[in-house]
Amino acid sequence: MKSASLPSLRVEPELRHSAELVLREGETLSAFIESSLRTNIERRLARNEFIARGLASREHARATGEYIAADEVLSILHNSLLKAKQKKR
């Protein structure tokens, strides 16, 4: 598969310098920018999916009239967190 290029990016010298300061050994500025772009794409896709699931859940609750109290949800989440922490040990 052919590779494609991204548009040139003009930044202030301070931003470029800051980016260069955090490069790991052997890492190029181009590799850092590509990695950052991939990370942000993944984060935005995950956020979009999260919002879509939330909206679908809202519509389901409205359609069925079945809601779960916030205290119950928080309790379930708290218990899940405790179990995850115990597994980690």
Side-chain angles (χ1 to χ4, degrees):
M1 173 154 83
K2 286 187 175 181
S3 63
S5 61
L6 292 170
S8 295
L9 179 64
R10 290 241 173 248
V11 297
E12 294 178 1
E14 295 82 14
L15 180 59
R16 180 184 172 117
H17 180 71
S18 294
E20 290 171 339
L21 286 175
V22 298
L23 293 177
R24 295 187 175 123
E25 187 175 334
E27 184 179 36
T28 64
L29 188 55
S30 293
F32 175 75
I33 292 169
E34 181 183 352
S35 173
S36 299
L37 181 61
R38 288 180 188 281
T39 299
N40 277 292
I41 289 169
E42 290 172 10
R43 184 177 296 126
R44 287 186 182 194
L45 289 172
R47 182 177 185 266
N48 290 346
E49 290 170 7
F50 176 80
I51 290 170
R53 286 193 314 270
L55 293 173
S57 179
R58 179 191 68 185
E59 292 307 314
H60 176 75
R62 284 181 178 170
T64 63
E66 296 175 14
Y67 293 87
I68 300 175
D71 289 344
E72 187 178 344
V73 172
L74 290 174
S75 176
I76 292 168
L77 291 172
H78 178 72
N79 289 336
S80 294
L81 180 61
L82 289 177
K83 287 178 185 177
K85 284 182 178 180
Q86 289 173 352
K87 275 187 179 180
K88 213 173 185 181
R89 290 180 185 176

